[in-house]
């Protein structure tokens, strides 16, 4: 019985991880209905395993449950985007200041390494129908995590990670709707240079500008004005 229970937990974790990834990279579109039976068939697991995964995703605010209607991918909205951006800037700034205060040469070397790995990758795939490269996205996450790796507050780190994931969908959605070229590399370089110079004020300003740019792109896009986002 113990082995059977362990297998079910593993299945639940695998379903959770796969669906979470699908939501974050927008393979499951905001607002779309999540059909439990379809996922049971896709993952070859029980109803309980899928419900467990959806319950966890609801706690992560990536899925919402409506009585009598079922589960849906959390919608996007202008008000949520603005709130997430403001809150993430605040938390990223606290984490970054903390990390700079605890700066070490080893930490700085790790940041530089992650930055160079990111620089070697192409951000956008398929220029005819632009989409964010999965490899670039993974390296981007690693760079941002390296910046705050020296933060010694587990609570701040946990909140920061949750906000990063909440904003990931919006960042993914911003790529196809850009109406002008964005110099993301320069944005990252400004954050990097200020951090290595241990100038917390400049690093936080560069981080805020970087995060605000994604929000600005989406707010001025037709995507957010033509029914793709929930009304506030």
């Amino acid at each position: 019985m113990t082995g059977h229970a362990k297998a079910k937990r593993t299945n639940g974790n695998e379903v959770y991880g796969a669906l979470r990834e699908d939501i974050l990279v927008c393979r499951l579109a905001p607002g779309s209905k999540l059909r439990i039976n379809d996922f049971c068939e896709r993952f070859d697991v029980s109803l309980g395993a899928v419900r467990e995964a959806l319950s966890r995703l609801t706690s992560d605010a990536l899925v919402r449950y409506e009585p009598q209607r079922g589960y849906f991918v959390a919608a996007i909205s202008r008000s949520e985007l603005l709130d997430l951006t403001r809150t993430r800037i605040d938390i990223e700034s606290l984490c970054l200041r903390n990390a700079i205060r605890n700066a070490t040469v080893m930490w700085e070397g790790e940041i530089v390494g992650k930055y160079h790995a990111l620089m070697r990758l192409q951000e956008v795939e398929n220029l005819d129908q632009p989409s964010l490269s999965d490899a670039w996205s993974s390296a981007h996450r690693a760079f941002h995590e390296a910046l705050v790796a020296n933060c010694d507050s587990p609570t701040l780190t946990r909140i920061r990670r949750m906000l990063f994931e909440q904003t990931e969908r919006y960042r993914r959605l911003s790529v196809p709707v850009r109406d002008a070229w964005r110099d993301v590399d320069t944005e990252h370089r400004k954050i990097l240079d200020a951090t290595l110079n241990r100038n917390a004020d400049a690093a936080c300003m560069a981080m805020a500008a970087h995060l605000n740019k994604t929000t600005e792109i989406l707010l001025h896009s037709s995507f957010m004005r033509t029914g793709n986002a929930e009304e506030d």
Side-chain angles (χ1 to χ4, degrees), residues 81-110:
L81 173 59
L82 288 167
D83 184 46
L84 281 172
T85 303
R86 286 190 295 262
T87 306
R88 188 173 167 205
I89 287 171
D90 288 344
I91 296 299
E92 288 279 358
S93 296
L94 287 171
C95 290
L96 195 49
R97 288 181 185 280
N98 185 306
I100 291 172
R101 188 164 59 246
N102 297 323
T104 64
V105 173
M106 185 175 295
W107 169 70
E108 291 175 350
E110 187 69 16

Side-chain angles (χ1 to χ4, degrees), residues 11-12 14-15 36 39-50:
N11 286 336
E14 290 172 354
V15 176
I36 294 178
F39 296 135
C40 289
E41 186 173 329
R42 171 184 166 186
F43 298 109
D44 191 23
V45 294
S46 67
L47 286 170
V50 175

Side-chain angles (χ1 to χ4, degrees), residues 144-177:
H144 276 272
E145 288 183 348
L147 286 166
V148 297
N150 248 22
C151 176
D152 61 8
S153 169
T155 301
L156 277 177
T157 300
R158 184 170 61 252
I159 295 171
R160 182 207 159 271
R161 185 175 296 116
M162 180 191 73
L163 290 169
F164 184 96
E165 292 175 350
Q166 289 290 320
T167 55
E168 176 72 3
R169 292 193 303 159
Y170 286 97
R171 189 170 61 80
R172 288 263 180 176
L173 292 168
S174 76
V175 172
V177 299

Side-chain angles (χ1 to χ4, degrees), residues 11-81:
N11 286 336
N13 286 335
E14 290 172 354
V15 176
Y16 167 78
L19 292 181
R20 179 176 165 278
E21 179 70 11
D22 284 350
I23 291 170
L24 291 178
V25 303
C26 299
R27 282 192 289 266
L28 290 171
S32 61
K33 183 166 177 62
L34 301 172
R35 304 183 187 282
I36 294 178
N37 288 336
D38 289 350
F39 296 135
C40 289
E41 186 173 329
R42 171 184 166 186
F43 298 109
D44 191 23
V45 294
S46 67
L47 286 170
V50 175
R51 288 198 179 101
E52 174 193 333
L54 293 175
S55 178
R56 291 174 63 187
L57 290 165
T58 301
S59 298
D60 294 342
L62 293 173
V63 166
R64 75 174 190 274
Y65 174 72
E66 296 183 14
Q68 311 303 320
R69 295 194 64 210
Y71 292 93
F72 296 82
V73 177
I76 62 171
S77 72
R78 294 172 65 88
S79 61
E80 182 190 57
L81 173 59

